[in-house]
Amino acid sequence: MSDPQPLPVATVDSPAAERDRPGPGTARILAGAGVGNMLEWFDWSVYAIFATFFAAQFFVDDGAFGAILSTLAIFAVGFLMRPLGGFLFGWVADRRGRRFAMTTSMMMMAGGSLLIGLAPTHAAIGAWAGVLLVVARLVQGLAHGGEIAASYTYVAEIAPRERRGLWSTTVYVSVTAGVLGASLVGAAAATIFGADELREWAWRIPFLIGGLLGVVGLYLRRSLEETAAFRATDATPTTLRQLAADLSRNRASLLRTIGLTAGITVVYYVWAVGISGFAISTRGVDPTHALWATVVANLVFMATLPLWGLLSDRVGRRPVYVFYGAAMAVIAFPLLALLNDSAVRMGLLMTVALVLMGAFNGNMPAYFAELFPTEVRASGVGIGSSLTVALLGGSAPYLLTWLSSRDLEWVFGLYTVVLALVGLVTALLSPETKGNDLR
């Protein structure tokens, strides 16, 4: 895959480098963006973490895997809206600004969370309970596609060029903080109320918290400044047709984001989001212990993310991605094979997977942003990554659970290896962008 035009190499005293240099209030702006990102990912993650507890509230419990599979299927359905969200909110971010798109998508996510937290159960309204769940997840999927498009772009554009990899790790630090917050609420609720109460009513707590926190996020994001890169461009697409034409001219970069995202998506949505629910429902891991193990693993993940960002700023984005792809292809099978009924072992395996994933996730906002020009950056980042996540991410917990119920977990391991190799090959065929100006 080759670009229509070579990517520019920055010089120290270039105008773009001066424009990208952070001002005195940049750290505060970056912190505000991260807090909003954390709140949105909290709302998105609680569904997967708590699915095993509320499944029987929305679907008939057949005593086997029926209710949980139906609930995970709706988790996958929500992902179908993410490409549309990436396209729509990417266009909005490229036309109206990054801040406007981030604020709007966050409020939609909070609204979906409130709907789930307040929804009547199957016992009260029958099949309509499942319909409400689908509607809420579709809204959240649309919002989440927009969040990726806008927030990745915002952080990459506000960061200094020579530390863009490091600053981009704040995106997944805040993402992980959202997942961690959801896990902490779950662990605390399990400790206080017990598994039975969680299944009856306490599962609503994190959804209601997530919805209410949207008000906090609204305040923080409305105070953000627009990026200098967006203010400096005068070529923003005014129509969707123009946007499609601009993206077509950058199709090589779109293909790269798709191939690279394929290498991480399944791994992320299993080991960062869905593994505790899987271990509880298929391995018999104690729910409280599983949730606390998830908390510890995510804390380690957050602590190591900046190290990957620093490494990519020093050696480049490509070598770090190549290392991830090769390493994941090697350990994908052992990770699943070693999982048993021990929460401690689950936590250790999760920690290994998460630390390795940091090589990819930590640098993704920087690398993807560096592949596109400013006028279509949010759209390109949002569409390429959201399309792949829609196809592979939402179905990952469902597919793993379904294959496990048929003693075919090895098939899922093979699936993970193949996708890791797709990401590896894409990285080898992609250009190095470390040090490039965002034009």
Side-chain angles (χ1 to χ4, degrees), residues 98-106 147 150-151 154 221 224:
R98 312 336 186 182
R99 183 186 65 177
F100 177 81
M102 288 194 299
T103 301
T104 305
S105 66
M106 187 194 62
E147 171 68 17
S151 66
Y154 186 88
R221 284 200 161 171
L224 292 176

Side-chain angles (χ1 to χ4, degrees), residues 35-36 38-40 42-43 102-114 206-222:
V35 170
M38 177 192 71
L39 296 179
E40 184 151 347
F42 177 94
D43 287 346
M102 288 194 299
T103 301
T104 305
S105 66
M106 187 194 62
M107 294 309 297
M108 289 178 63
M109 179 67 73
S113 187
L114 272 178
F207 291 102
L208 296 175
I209 290 175
L212 294 175
L213 287 177
V215 178
V216 179
L218 175 63
Y219 169 77
L220 291 169
R221 284 200 161 171
R222 289 190 65 179

Side-chain angles (χ1 to χ4, degrees), residues 161-184:
R161 184 188 61 193
E162 67 278 5
R163 286 291 180 265
R164 195 175 294 133
L166 173 62
W167 282 47
S168 289
T169 63
T170 64
V171 172
Y172 269 88
V173 169
S174 61
V175 164
T176 307
V179 178
L180 180 61
S183 301
L184 277 170

Side-chain angles (χ1 to χ4, degrees), residues 403-418:
L403 288 171
S404 176
S405 70
R406 286 157 175 77
D407 296 322
L408 293 173
E409 281 185 22
W410 66 270
V411 175
F412 191 87
L414 179 61
Y415 176 55
T416 304
V417 170
V418 170

